[in-house]
Amino acid sequence: QVQLVDSGGGLVQAGGSLRLSCAASGRIFSSYGMGWFRQAPGKEREFVAAIRRSGGSGYYADFVKGRFTISRDNAKNTVYLQMDSLKPEDTAVYHCAAAEFPAGVIFRTSRQYAYWGQGTQVTVSS
């Protein structure tokens, strides 16, 4: 199995930036695709971004495209989410997750991910 630990959340003003990290242990990190999801109070968990096991370009929900960047460093067993131009509506608990993506597929729903971090709170003030 894979154990994931999220970190990097905090309080930031609108227009500011945060960088979330997700450290993995257990199985070989490079075997898994990684995703970020978020959940605000009273709302369903929603897809934010994902990246293939080999890295490269990320895949994004429309509401963060152009503002957030997902990346990974397999040597450090870590995936990142750089969050720029933050908006109050970005306020949520952010979770990283791991899955085995088939070739040519990116998972965009929570049920497709087997392993989850504990979550890190991001709060954006107006």
Side-chain angles (χ1 to χ4, degrees):
Q1 62 177 320
V2 175
Q3 295 80 46
L4 305 174
V5 179
D6 306 316
S7 63
L11 175 64
V12 65
Q13 288 187 305
S17 297
L18 286 171
R19 191 192 195 198
L20 307 184
S21 298
C22 176
S25 62
R27 293 183 177 178
I28 299 173
F29 178 67
S30 60
S31 297
Y32 294 89
M34 299 293 297
W36 286 97
F37 292 78
R38 71 187 189 186
Q39 188 167 23
K43 298 181 66 177
E44 294 184 347
R45 183 172 293 177
E46 60 186 355
F47 171 79
V48 175
I51 191 166
R52 297 185 183 279
R53 62 183 182 179
S54 58
S57 298
Y59 301 84
Y60 303 93
D62 288 342
F63 54 81
V64 303
K65 199 169 186 177
R67 299 189 297 122
F68 293 6
T69 303
I70 188 171
S71 62
R72 68 190 296 161
D73 186 340
N74 287 348
K76 296 181 179 179
N77 292 341
T78 302
V79 63
Y80 305 95
L81 186 68
Q82 178 66 42
M83 309 165 66
D84 298 319
S85 301
L86 283 162
K87 304 174 181 179
E89 52 263 43
D90 294 319
T91 296
V93 176
Y94 285 70
H95 293 83
C96 66
E100 296 182 23
F101 297 166
V105 175
I106 296 292
F107 290 164
R108 294 176 180 265
T109 62
S110 297
R111 63 179 178 83
Q112 294 173 306
Y113 287 79
Y115 307 103
W116 291 85
Q118 82 286 351
T120 184
Q121 174 69 230
V122 172
T123 303
V124 184
S125 62
S126 59

